[in-house]
């Protein structure tokens, strides 16, 4: 199993138009995603999780900063190169799983079509069995339950262990048994070398992750096994959530001592 960096983002910025002017969805995000690991991105609604996933999946170009995929600077790639990269190397599961599926294809054909697009050979029946959808092999998405759609979308995105597998809330609508199936599949792909990135509020998914990254107000910080905090270009530091109770009024005293920075609550 490899653990080399696949994605490296530096000072990523994303803007959206709003009535009051441009709104920053991402504000100077630094992030590294490694092959063979599961990274979970958490944070409250509106914190920028889905935006960050879309940028990492090359579905949106960042408004600023630098993103490298496999060492390649994404901003230098043509639209054709980006399409090929997304089709061949990136598995994507939308927060609404039906949006990740072909509405006219049954479950068996979903897996076969994804394998064809990715240029790999796959045992379709084994892929469906992995998420316990064998009995639904001939069903189209419209007649599948929400949970079945979600399991099928993950199974299709995971075909061939793509270099990057990104899922937005992949267990949100699943019971414990179904969530276990999906998380087991994602771990299997990570073991095979995929870099897996999840946006999630689900404690089950967070516990499965190797690295947990917390996003608040468009700024990322590390927690769990990754204790690195992000410092943006304006000098703003995003503390781990566990540290916030130490500063209940939101104010911090900053002291520089012998080349080190110390943070203390006001007296």
């Amino acid at each position: 199993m490899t653990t080399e960096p696949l994605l490296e983002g530096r000072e990523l910025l994303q803007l959206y138009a709003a009535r009051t002017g441009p709104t920053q969805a991402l504000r100077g995000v630094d992030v590294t995603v490694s092959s063979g690991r599961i990274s979970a991105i958490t944070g409250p609604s509106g914190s920028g999780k889905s935006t960050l996933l879309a940028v990492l999946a090359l579905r949106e170009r960042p408004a600023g900063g630098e993103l490298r995929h496999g060492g390649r600077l994404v901003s230098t790639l043509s639209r054709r190169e980006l399409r090929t990269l997304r089709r061949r190397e990136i598995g994507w599961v939308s927060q609404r799983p039906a949006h990740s599926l072909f509405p006219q294809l049954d479950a068996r054909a979903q897996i076969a079509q994804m394998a064809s697009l990715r240029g790999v050979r796959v045992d379709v029946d084994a892929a469906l069995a992995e998420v316990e959808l064998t009995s639904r092999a001939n069903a189209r998405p419209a007649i599948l339950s929400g949970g079945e759609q979600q399991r099928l979308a993950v199974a299709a995105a995971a075909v061939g262990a793509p270099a990057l597998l990104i899922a937005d809330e992949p267990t949100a609508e699943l019971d414990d048994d179904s969530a276990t199936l999906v998380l087991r599949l994602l771990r299997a792909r990570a073991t095979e070398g995929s870099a897996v990135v999840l946006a999630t509020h689900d404690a089950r998914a967070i516990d499965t992750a190797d690295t947990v990254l917390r996003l608040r107000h468009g700024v990322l910080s590390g927690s769990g096994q990754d204790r690195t905090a992000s410092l943006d270009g304006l000098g703003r530091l995003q503390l781990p959530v566990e540290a916030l109770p130490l500063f209940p009024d939101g104010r911090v005293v900053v002291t520089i001592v012998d080349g080190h920075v110390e943070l203390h609550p006001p007296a």
Side-chain angles (χ1 to χ4, degrees):
M1 179 182 68
T2 61
T3 56
E4 296 296 320
L6 176 71
L7 288 175
E8 296 178 284
R10 297 292 176 263
E11 292 292 321
L12 296 176
L13 176 71
Q14 189 61 301
L15 305 175
Y16 292 121
R19 290 184 179 181
T20 56
T23 298
Q24 289 187 331
L26 301 177
R27 302 187 296 161
V29 168
D30 290 343
V31 61
T32 298
V33 174
S34 295
S35 302
R37 294 175 65 85
I38 298 178
S39 300
I41 300 174
T42 71
S45 297
S47 61
K49 297 190 301 299
S50 293
T51 297
L52 180 56
L53 289 193
V55 169
L56 296 180
L58 311 187
R59 300 175 71 86
E60 294 183 10
R61 287 185 184 267
E66 179 179 288
L67 179 64
R68 292 182 180 273
H69 179 108
R72 291 171 287 184
L73 189 59
V74 171
S75 61
T76 66
L77 301 178
S78 67
R79 290 185 178 180
R80 182 177 180 178
E81 288 172 322
L82 285 173
R83 284 196 302 269
T84 300
L85 189 58
R86 287 195 299 265
R87 183 174 65 247
R88 294 283 183 168
E89 298 189 23
I90 301 175
W92 168 262
V93 183
S94 170
Q95 191 169 13
R96 296 183 177 180
H99 293 177
S100 302
L101 299 171
F102 301 99
Q104 74 279 15
L105 299 182
D106 63 28
R108 187 187 303 278
Q110 301 279 348
I111 302 297
Q113 177 68 9
M114 188 58 66
S116 175
L117 291 173
R118 202 158 283 160
V120 298
R121 296 177 64 87
V122 64
D123 184 333
V124 173
D125 293 330
L128 292 176
E130 197 169 12
V131 289
E132 295 189 357
L133 287 176
T134 301
S135 64
R136 308 294 274 160
N138 298 318
R140 295 182 181 181
I143 62 173
L144 294 175
S145 70
E148 289 171 336
Q149 289 180 0
Q150 201 154 33
R151 282 184 278 152
L152 178 58
V154 173
V159 162
L164 178 62
L165 179 52
I166 292 185
D168 197 350
E169 299 285 358
T171 60
E173 304 299 327
L174 300 182
D175 59 27
D176 284 344
D177 290 342
S178 294
T180 296
L181 289 174
V182 165
L183 295 174
R184 185 183 299 155
L185 183 153
L186 296 176
R187 172 55 65 190
R189 296 302 174 270
T191 300
E192 293 169 22
S194 296
V196 180
V197 185
L198 317 175
T200 185
H201 292 96
D202 189 342
R204 299 167 299 188
I206 293 170
D207 289 342
T208 298
D210 301 300
T211 299
V212 180
L213 302 170
R214 303 189 187 279
L215 196 62
R216 297 179 74 246
H217 306 299
V219 180
L220 196 65
S221 66
S223 64
Q225 296 182 24
D226 182 350
R227 303 300 300 175
T228 302
S230 294
L231 185 70
D232 70 15
L234 298 178
R236 293 171 296 195
L237 180 68
Q238 184 72 30
L239 295 176
V241 172
E242 308 94 283
L244 298 183
L246 298 174
F247 307 98
D249 63 355
R251 299 174 64 242
V252 179
V253 174
V254 181
T255 306
I256 300 176
V257 180
D258 296 329
H260 294 83
V261 176
E262 297 181 357
L263 305 179
H264 305 278

